[in-house]
Amino acid sequence: MFAAAGKKLSSISMTVFSGQAEPDPPPPPPTAWESMVNKVDAYFELSYMQRMAGFAMTGIGGLVMMGMASMYLPMVLIGFPQKFAFTYAMSNLLLLLSSCFMVGPKKQIENMMQPSRAVAALGWLTSTIGLLYVVWRMRFFVYVVSALSVQVICLLYYVGTYLPWGNSWVTYIVKSW
């Protein structure tokens, strides 16, 4: 009896003093939900070159749409802001999508939902979707220009959250008008 206890004690002391730790127990098997999420995630994994190609295509597409929006800017002054508003909103969404390709959608959403910029990000996304709704459904000059103005202010506020002292600058500019 004492011999068995002594053997057990010596094996414990050898493990502790030799620096070898006991192996960790195996992790529990994934639940059905985790298994499904892992399978879906595997479908959306992109290689580095695929991510860079997606970044380039959506980034160039966003810049082209921004260029088209700048060509349609004079139409706002003569009473037809729909083309400008649509191309401007789509350029913003394409540029956001390009950054999702660069850092990944999960990281992009985590960055957007940080406490310092969550309100600005949700305001910008909501105003962009609202602008597209107004352009497609309402098509009235005053509504489109109002939605466009709100979207630009929300975009400036959102971009300001990424810059040092950006929020205070945006607040200063908006109050000075």
Side-chain angles (χ1 to χ4, degrees), residues 98-111:
S98 72
S99 67
C100 285
F101 273 110
M102 182 63 83
V103 298
K106 182 179 177 184
K107 183 70 174 168
Q108 178 69 31
I109 291 170
E110 286 174 0
N111 286 340

Side-chain angles (χ1 to χ4, degrees), residues 58 62 90-102 108 112 124-125 158 162:
T58 54
M90 291 305 295
S91 71
N92 285 325
L93 292 176
L94 282 171
L95 291 172
L96 175 70
L97 185 60
S98 72
S99 67
C100 285
F101 273 110
M102 182 63 83
Q108 178 69 31
M112 291 174 73
W124 174 72
L125 285 173
Y158 175 64
Y162 280 94

Side-chain angles (χ1 to χ4, degrees), residues 45-72:
E45 289 182 3
L46 300 174
S47 69
Y48 178 77
M49 289 305 293
Q50 289 170 330
R51 287 189 310 139
M52 291 302 110
F55 168 73
M57 286 189 290
T58 54
I60 290 170
L63 293 175
V64 167
M65 292 293 275
M66 187 66 74
M68 289 173 57
S70 67
M71 290 188 318
Y72 292 135

Side-chain angles (χ1 to χ4, degrees), residues 16-174:
V16 171
F17 294 119
S18 68
Q20 297 174 351
E22 292 183 23
D24 291 333
T31 62
W33 174 255
E34 290 171 341
S35 171
M36 184 185 73
V37 167
N38 290 339
K39 286 179 183 176
V40 170
D41 283 344
Y43 288 122
F44 292 108
E45 289 182 3
L46 300 174
S47 69
Y48 178 77
M49 289 305 293
Q50 289 170 330
R51 287 189 310 139
M52 291 302 110
F55 168 73
M57 286 189 290
T58 54
I60 290 170
L63 293 175
V64 167
M65 292 293 275
M66 187 66 74
M68 289 173 57
S70 67
M71 290 188 318
Y72 292 135
L73 189 58
M75 294 184 76
V76 173
L77 300 175
I78 61 173
F80 299 104
Q82 291 85 2
K83 286 184 180 181
F84 169 76
F86 176 75
T87 54
Y88 177 72
M90 291 305 295
S91 71
N92 285 325
L93 292 176
L94 282 171
L95 291 172
L96 175 70
L97 185 60
S98 72
S99 67
C100 285
F101 273 110
M102 182 63 83
V103 298
K106 182 179 177 184
K107 183 70 174 168
Q108 178 69 31
I109 291 170
E110 286 174 0
N111 286 340
M112 291 174 73
M113 292 302 128
Q114 287 178 354
S116 62
R117 65 178 61 110
V119 172
L122 290 175
W124 174 72
L125 285 173
T126 304
S127 66
T128 302
I129 292 168
L131 176 62
L132 290 172
Y133 176 78
V134 168
V135 166
W136 284 330
R137 294 289 182 185
M138 301 175 126
R139 304 185 69 95
F140 186 58
F141 177 79
V142 174
Y143 294 152
V144 173
V145 170
S146 300
L148 184 60
S149 301
V150 168
Q151 201 270 346
V152 168
I153 291 169
C154 288
L155 177 64
L156 289 175
Y157 182 54
Y158 175 64
V159 169
T161 61
Y162 280 94
L163 302 173
W165 303 96
N167 287 340
S168 60
W169 279 99
V170 170
T171 305
Y172 174 75
I173 291 170
V174 169

Side-chain angles (χ1 to χ4, degrees), residues 4-18 20 22:
K7 263 189 182 179
K8 181 134 179 118
L9 185 60
S10 69
S11 71
I12 290 174
S13 65
M14 288 299 289
T15 302
V16 171
F17 294 119
S18 68
Q20 297 174 351
E22 292 183 23

